[in-house]
Amino acid sequence: DGGITQSPKYLFRKEGQNVTLSCEQNLNHDAMYWYRQDPGQGLRLIYYSQIVNDFQKGDIAEGYSVSREKKESFPLTVTSAQKNPTAFYLCASSIWREGYTFGSGTRLTVV
Amino acid sequence: DQQVKQNSPSLSVQEGRISILNCDYTNSMFDYFLWYKKYPAEGPTFLISISSIKDKNEDGRFTVFLNKSAKHLSLHIVPSQPGDSAVYFCAASRRASGTYKYIFGTGTRLKVLA
């Protein structure tokens, strides 16, 4: 079965540490995205990539970094520069002229 | 600047009645719209879409209406069921520009009362 997998489902991070969230898809989708969901703020785009080895900043990229070395993978690193990293993170993928397929999300909590 | 707005953060409806969720957008270049449904601690799932060349699209209990002149779309759920209780997001895209990217609204939490 094709799908998009995010891991881990829950993640705890100490202040000042970097942490990497995994996103893998076997849908052969060209584009991949990272969104953040906070209560009352909907889905805000962090980074997106339409092809391998290329990615663009979204609306709230500060404090985050990504890489797209393989079509299947789009990991997100939450750096210590991100001031308020506690949130629910969603990864998605898509092909041209189609909507997104979302992963099940990772809840990151800073302790 | 919020290009896609869902002005009602929540909505409660009796089981069996109609649920109407609204979405407004500001960019007249948007040409494709989606609705997603999201349960807590899960990823959103695709519900229904509509192209700007249409004003209505129907799929079972779900119908989306598009009013381009008003830059407004709505999702109708008839009849509403308790399992429909979730957060609903509308999303818009400028597919003609070549982008894959969608802009999402802030979501409306629907509660269907048994």
Side-chain angles (χ1 to χ4, degrees):
Chain A
D1 280 342
I4 181 165
T5 303
Q6 288 187 243
S7 62
K9 192 162 181 67
Y10 299 95
L11 190 56
F12 296 88
R13 189 196 89 175
K14 291 183 179 179
E15 283 197 38
Q17 283 183 339
N18 292 355
V19 64
T20 297
L21 283 61
S22 170
C23 180
E24 303 277 333
Q25 54 100 357
N26 60 3
L27 299 164
N28 200 31
H29 284 177
D30 297 313
M32 297 186 74
Y33 314 80
W34 275 104
Y35 283 86
R36 168 180 171 144
Q37 184 188 16
D38 295 281
Q41 297 212 47
L43 303 178
R44 293 186 292 167
L45 182 64
I46 303 172
Y47 268 98
Y48 67 104
S49 166
Q50 296 194 178
I51 56 171
V52 175
N53 292 322
D54 187 50
F55 48 83
Q56 284 79 42
K57 292 182 179 180
D59 301 317
I60 54 164
E62 185 176 352
Y64 299 98
S65 66
V66 293
S67 63
R68 187 85 188 276
E69 297 175 1
K70 298 185 302 181
K71 188 175 186 178
E72 302 79 18
S73 179
F74 192 41
L76 174 75
T77 297
V78 184
T79 75
S80 56
Q82 168 50 232
K83 299 302 180 192
N84 186 21
T86 294
F88 188 60
Y89 290 86
L90 284 161
C91 180
S93 68
S94 72
I95 54 173
W96 169 233
R97 301 187 76 81
E98 296 292 331
Y100 294 176
T101 299
F102 280 92
S104 56
T106 293
R107 179 162 298 281
L108 173 64
T109 303
V110 173
V111 297
Chain B
D1 178 31
Q2 188 73 27
Q3 296 187 65
V4 179
K5 301 177 185 178
Q6 293 176 257
N7 291 318
S8 298
S10 64
L11 174 69
S12 291
V13 171
Q14 281 298 130
E15 181 180 6
R17 307 294 290 264
I18 184 171
S19 296
I20 300 176
L21 295 91
N22 294 305
C23 180
D24 298 294
Y25 59 96
T26 57
N27 189 340
S28 58
M29 301 299 290
F30 287 144
D31 55 10
Y32 202 76
F33 305 88
L34 307 173
W35 282 95
Y36 281 84
K37 174 179 176 180
K38 184 183 180 303
Y39 294 117
E42 294 183 13
T45 54
F46 170 75
L47 205 52
I48 194 168
S49 63
I50 188 165
S51 164
S52 60
I53 63 173
K54 295 186 175 182
D55 53 20
K56 176 183 174 181
N57 189 26
E58 195 170 353
D59 183 1
R61 296 187 297 115
F62 302 93
T63 303
V64 55
F65 296 92
L66 176 62
N67 182 335
K68 289 187 291 294
S69 60
K71 297 193 187 70
H72 177 84
L73 64 155
S74 61
L75 175 68
H76 293 210
I77 306 173
V78 184
S80 300
Q81 299 173 355
D84 296 330
S85 297
V87 177
Y88 289 79
F89 292 98
C90 65
S93 179
R94 293 176 54 194
R95 284 173 32 160
S97 70
T99 184
Y100 289 62
K101 195 172 63 167
Y102 283 83
I103 308 296
F104 284 81
T106 52
T108 296
R109 182 177 303 278
L110 173 66
K111 188 172 184 179
V112 180
L113 307 169

